[in-house]
Amino acid sequence: MALQYQRTFINFEENDGTRNQRSSSLPPSLNCKANDACSEKYVDGLLHKTGENYEWPIDAQGNTSKGSLGHPEVCGRFCIRFFYGNCRQGENCEFGHLAHREPKVKMDKAQRQLFEMLGEAEVLSLVLPHIERRCGRNGLNRRMLFVIHMLRRRLTSLPHPDDNHVLHARAVIPILRKFTVARLLELIRQSPAFPSGFKEDLKKLADRSLGRQ
Ligand SMILES: [Zn+2]
Ligand SMILES: [Zn+2]
């Protein structure tokens, strides 16, 4: 198993940046869906490799907190102590120290209800392109490499989604375009379609990618 994972990882590295080769970089034989132990092993394998030869990029954002990394796309929740001028954690604070100017966009009730009805592959087909676009646009591709890989891999392991459902959801929830990467990941974690083991692994991997584990 470990060997297979390594192969996936290496293939992915080689093909990074060449979008049209993506599907061929993900062997269909790797099908671990709904198998939490397997998915945990997968993440452990990634993290093990990570420790060996992967340097986490460091944002040049100066004297801010750990939680501010990736601001405004993937930073932690805003630090209320910092807001009142008494955060003593400084650089080690896990919360964001940079202000957000744009108000948080939200789905309305009908949009939320529709979203909750979507299956796993439908949610990923809807959300993943936005995550990839925003990571690319905000220089987060390297930092979010493993998270994006995990999501792509999940999507290719699932039966093909109903395209009409995806198109319908895209038309009804255009506001997704305005969601930050952090909020898009949150949407996946809130979706009832995914097994809890997958969502925990996703959170672990995202936290680790952002130096917040
Ligand atoms: Zn922020
Ligand atoms: Zn703080």
Side-chain angles (χ1 to χ4, degrees):
M1 219 32 141
L3 270 179
Q4 275 188 317
Y5 289 139
Q6 281 189 7
R7 192 162 56 91
T8 320
F9 175 77
I10 291 163
N11 285 349
F12 178 68
E13 278 275 90
E14 282 168 355
N15 289 335
D16 190 31
T18 49
R19 280 166 171 274
N20 51 357
Q21 287 179 33
R22 186 193 308 155
S23 50
S24 64
S25 73
L26 300 170
S29 61
L30 280 177
N31 189 345
C32 293
K33 69 174 163 160
N35 183 338
D36 292 347
C38 185
S39 117
E40 200 142 285
K41 254 190 211 166
Y42 169 67
V43 174
D44 283 351
L46 275 186
L47 293 181
H48 180 65
K49 282 215 72 73
T50 297
E52 275 175 3
N53 55 17
Y54 186 79
E55 274 179 49
W56 295 103
I58 295 165
D59 289 353
Q61 275 181 343
N63 198 19
T64 60
S65 64
K66 239 192 211 174
S68 306
L69 284 181
H71 173 88
E73 284 296 322
V74 285
C75 49
R77 221 177 302 151
F78 189 65
C79 178
I80 199 73
R81 292 212 169 90
F82 183 79
F83 181 77
Y84 288 111
N86 58 6
C87 174
R88 296 197 187 145
Q89 303 292 318
E91 283 179 37
N92 287 322
C93 180
E94 309 239 315
F95 296 99
H97 282 188
L98 299 168
H100 287 244
R101 278 176 195 86
E102 288 181 24
K104 206 170 164 179
V105 281
K106 284 183 177 168
M107 285 196 252
D108 62 29
K109 198 177 171 196
Q111 290 171 326
R112 276 201 315 276
Q113 281 172 345
L114 175 70
F115 191 84
E116 275 167 22
M117 304 271 289
L118 298 173
E120 253 188 278
E122 291 165 350
V123 169
L124 286 174
S125 301
L126 195 65
V127 166
L128 187 52
H130 291 302
I131 293 178
E132 292 178 330
R133 177 178 55 87
R134 293 192 81 111
C135 283
R137 209 209 268 158
N138 294 286
L140 290 164
N141 275 344
R142 275 198 74 202
R143 178 173 290 283
M144 300 304 281
L145 178 72
F146 296 108
V147 171
I148 291 172
H149 182 40
M150 185 184 182
L151 296 175
R152 280 180 190 164
R153 201 174 146 280
R154 183 81 181 178
L155 181 58
T156 50
S157 79
L158 297 165
H160 194 77
D162 186 323
D163 286 333
N164 288 329
H165 285 182
V166 177
L167 287 174
H168 177 66
R170 199 173 288 159
V172 174
I173 324 178
I175 202 168
L176 282 183
R177 292 189 66 78
K178 295 189 176 173
F179 278 37
T180 61
V181 173
R183 301 255 347 263
L184 292 165
L185 291 173
E186 205 177 291
L187 280 184
I188 294 174
R189 290 204 304 270
Q190 285 166 356
S191 161
F194 294 82
S196 58
F198 176 80
K199 295 197 260 195
E200 280 159 27
D201 286 348
L202 179 63
K203 173 143 179 37
K204 261 190 249 168
L205 195 57
D207 284 349
R208 173 76 192 243
S209 301
L210 296 163
R212 276 181 225 139
Q213 54 146 6

